[in-house]
Amino acid sequence: THTHTHTHTQVRVNGRMNATPMFLSSSSMAFSTSTRSNTNSNTNENNRSRTTTTMMKPSPTQQQRNKNRASVAALTTRNEDRMITNTTRQLKNKRGSALQTSAALPDALHSAATLSEISALEGNIQGFYLGTLLLILGFSGFIVVRQVFIRRELDDQAKKTGERIRAGNASSDDYFEMGSIMLRKKVYTQAIRNLQLAAENWEGDEEDLAQVHNALGFGYAEMEKYEDAIKEFKLASQLQPGYVTVWNNLGDAYEKLKMQKEAVKCYEEALVLAPGNSVATMRLKNMRERAERLGLTIE
């Protein structure tokens, strides 16, 4: 019997010492070799996959940067959109303002034309008022100047007549003239005294004496002595029945004393004598309208 002695050799595999036979079969060597090759291949593939995955997958810091960039891009886009929207609104507003301005332009022109017409009308009105004022002032000045001349004339006449009366050489006509002057100067007391002297010393016709009594009645009426005025007017109407002025004066005195029926008769008598007499016509019309308004009977 041959005894074979196998020598064992320690082999370092993967950092560990293993007792491996020195001689292996070819199949075992092939298997071992292929296994190592496969193992190395798998290891290399895994390393490549990890590297690829590591290269493809970004780090957290990179992700945060990407998010920040996306946010900035979104904000920029929004700001641009807002700017575009605001610009569009401003353009629309400008267009609307331009349209409103163009639409308001005819109204403004019309308003300007209207203001011009109003100014012209106001100028015409002011010119009319100014002309009217000047006319009134001119007429008033004429009246004042005329009154001044009349008063001077009356003063001259009164002076001359007064000298004759004081000399004792006055006639009834002088007294009547002095009385008439005093009536025009509204010095009624002196007027009545001179007219009474004229009536007492009358030397002319009775019809002319009617004028003296009419003047006396007018003086009493101005002093609101209507009863005395009525007596003088009646004397004048008796002396001269056709004296229209006396009938109007008598009607006015009755009217002042609220004796409406007597006043109506006097005005009617004046219209009989002078159908177109304006004083009697106006007084009758006023009295009848007043009586109708108050429900009174005056005729």
Side-chain angles (χ1 to χ4, degrees):
T1 305
H2 297 279
T3 303
H4 296 280
T5 302
H6 298 280
T7 302
H8 293 82
T9 304
Q10 290 182 349
V11 180
R12 188 181 293 271
V13 178
N14 294 329
R16 288 181 298 178
M17 296 297 293
N18 290 331
T20 307
M22 188 68 181
F23 299 101
L24 296 175
S25 62
S26 60
S27 61
S28 294
M29 292 177 65
F31 174 79
S32 177
T33 303
S34 65
T35 301
R36 289 179 182 178
S37 299
N38 291 333
T39 302
N40 293 330
S41 298
N42 291 332
T43 301
N44 294 329
E45 290 293 331
N46 290 331
N47 291 332
R48 289 176 183 174
S49 298
R50 288 177 184 175
T51 303
T52 305
T53 304
T54 302
M55 293 177 64
M56 292 178 62
K57 184 176 181 180
S59 64
T61 304
Q62 187 66 28
Q63 291 179 357
Q64 186 64 34
R65 290 178 180 176
N66 292 336
K67 287 182 180 180
N68 292 336
R69 290 176 181 176
S71 299
V72 171
L75 289 174
T76 304
T77 304
R78 290 178 184 174
N79 291 331
E80 291 177 353
D81 292 340
R82 288 178 183 175
M83 292 177 62
I84 293 171
T85 303
N86 292 332
T87 305
T88 305
R89 288 178 181 174
Q90 291 177 0
L91 290 174
K92 288 182 178 180
N93 292 332
K94 288 182 180 179
R95 289 177 182 175
S97 301
L99 291 174
Q100 291 178 357
T101 303
S102 61
L105 185 58
D107 295 335
L109 293 175
H110 183 267
S111 300
T114 304
L115 289 175
S116 178
E117 293 178 357
I118 292 173
S119 299
L121 181 61
E122 289 179 352
N124 293 333
I125 293 173
Q126 291 176 358
F128 172 77
Y129 283 140
L130 181 60
T132 304
L133 180 61
L134 291 175
L135 182 63
I136 292 173
L137 291 175
F139 182 75
S140 300
F142 170 76
I143 295 296
V144 170
V145 173
R146 184 171 178 272
Q147 290 296 327
V148 170
F149 281 110
I150 290 174
R151 184 168 291 276
R152 285 182 180 179
E153 184 180 357
L154 292 175
D155 290 340
D156 291 340
Q157 292 178 358
K159 183 178 180 181
K160 293 177 182 179
T161 305
E163 290 176 354
R164 288 195 298 269
I165 291 174
R166 285 191 296 271
N169 299 323
S171 63
S172 58
D173 289 336
D174 292 331
Y175 288 115
F176 177 67
E177 184 178 357
M178 179 62 73
S180 299
I181 291 171
M182 293 297 108
L183 284 177
R184 295 178 67 180
K185 295 180 69 173
K186 298 183 180 182
V187 186
Y188 298 116
T189 302
Q190 295 183 19
I192 288 173
R193 184 173 64 249
N194 284 281
L195 290 171
Q196 286 175 342
L197 291 172
E200 292 172 0
N201 299 298
W202 192 251
E203 300 171 354
D205 298 335
E206 289 185 355
E207 291 184 357
D208 294 334
L209 183 59
Q211 295 180 8
V212 177
H213 289 290
N214 181 61
L216 273 170
F218 180 80
Y220 283 126
E222 290 297 315
M223 296 175 68
E224 296 184 356
K225 296 180 179 181
Y226 298 113
E227 291 83 358
D228 295 333
I230 288 172
K231 292 178 182 178
E232 296 296 332
F233 290 141
K234 282 184 175 180
L235 285 173
S237 65
Q238 293 172 1
L239 293 170
Q240 189 176 348
Y243 197 173
V244 177
T245 303
V246 170
W247 289 107
N248 284 332
N249 290 338
L250 182 58
D252 182 70
Y254 279 127
E255 195 173 351
K256 291 293 193 301
L257 293 176
K258 308 298 181 183
M259 301 173 68
Q260 306 297 331
K261 293 183 179 180
E262 289 78 1
V264 168
K265 290 179 181 179
C266 292
Y267 292 137
E268 289 178 346
E269 183 65 26
L271 288 175
V272 169
L273 297 172
N277 187 265
S278 58
V279 175
T281 302
M282 184 60 65
R283 291 294 179 84
L284 272 177
K285 180 181 178 182
N286 293 337
M287 289 181 65
R288 286 167 180 167
E289 288 178 354
R290 192 184 311 117
E292 184 179 357
R293 194 165 53 248
L294 298 175
L296 300 176
T297 302
I298 60 176
E299 298 183 43

